[in-house]
Amino acid sequence: MITLAELDAERLRRDFYAFVVDAWPYVEQTTIFVSGWHIAMIADCLQSLSEGKIPSNNLLINVPPRHMKSLLVNIFFPAWMWTHSPWSKFLCFSYSEALTIRDSMKCRQLIGSRWYQERFTCNINPRQDMKDKFENLSGGYRYCFGTGGSIAGQGGDYLLIDDPLEISKANSKA
């Protein structure tokens, strides 16, 4: 007999946007979720990416600051991918290592939440559970780097590059 929790988990595995809406309170406790067409579009593109409808090296998301790009791509997407492909490997980059660590901690917080653990089997490897990188017991990982950091010897299924340039340095004569 299938339980309601199992049905809910399957619904969330199949629909990234639904996952974001339901997971929101476990990432952003102080704000309510307010949708917009751009959020649904980004969610649709990320789901298409996960389904192989968009090649993994061909998705560029360009929206103004404070439009949920970092939350969708760096926090919700890896956590959602691990609901059905726990072996997925993510390398996350930003101009600032502090930003990638912030998103890593939020992603880890979501995965460790009671809500997530009640629906999905995704156990974090206690031997590799740090702010800047964590792994699950199925071979998946999420590592983060500042753009000046070394990634020699690292590989991933998804390279998530968020804010590669510091805004104050983006305008140059070059």
Side-chain angles (χ1 to χ4, degrees):
M1 180 125 216
I2 297 175
T3 67
L4 287 176
E6 291 170 328
L7 283 174
D8 187 46
E10 188 59 30
R11 173 184 68 90
L12 296 172
R13 272 188 205 95
R14 293 176 186 221
D15 186 344
F16 178 56
Y17 182 82
F19 176 86
V20 170
V21 171
D22 286 12
W24 180 264
Y26 304 95
V27 174
E28 292 292 322
Q29 295 88 7
T30 60
T31 59
I32 61 167
F33 178 78
V34 179
S35 189
W37 69 267
H38 68 287
I39 295 169
M41 180 64 71
I42 294 169
D44 185 57
C45 287
L46 289 168
Q47 182 155 347
S48 293
L49 177 72
S50 77
E51 295 168 350
K53 296 175 183 174
I54 297 174
S56 62
N57 62 346
N58 285 342
L59 180 59
L60 174 67
I61 300 169
N62 193 5
V63 294
R66 311 302 307 160
H67 281 75
M68 270 186 63
K69 174 181 46 66
S70 296
L71 285 165
L72 290 167
V73 174
N74 292 314
I75 298 166
F76 291 111
F77 185 64
W80 177 71
M81 285 296 297
W82 283 2
T83 69
H84 52 81
S85 301
W87 53 84
S88 298
K89 296 168 176 59
F90 297 89
L91 300 180
C92 305
F93 301 88
S94 177
Y95 77 88
S96 165
E97 187 175 20
L99 290 177
T100 61
I101 289 174
R102 175 203 67 190
D103 292 346
S104 178
M105 291 172 57
K106 284 186 175 191
C107 183
R108 177 64 185 86
Q109 172 186 316
L110 173 57
I111 292 167
S113 71
R114 184 175 177 183
W115 173 85
Y116 189 96
Q117 290 298 314
E118 286 175 349
R119 286 158 181 78
F120 313 108
T121 304
C122 182
N123 297 307
I124 299 300
N125 182 346
R127 303 178 114 218
Q128 190 61 268
D129 187 8
M130 297 179 283
K131 289 181 180 181
D132 61 342
K133 57 183 168 181
F134 57 89
E135 299 177 359
N136 64 39
L137 295 176
S138 298
Y141 56 75
R142 186 191 187 287
Y143 294 173
C144 59
F145 305 90
T147 52
S150 172
I151 63 164
Q154 303 295 333
D157 302 312
Y158 299 92
L159 305 178
L160 309 178
I161 304 170
D162 186 20
D163 298 328
L165 296 174
E166 188 175 352
I167 292 173
S168 65
K169 297 177 182 175
N171 294 324
S172 71
K173 292 179 183 179

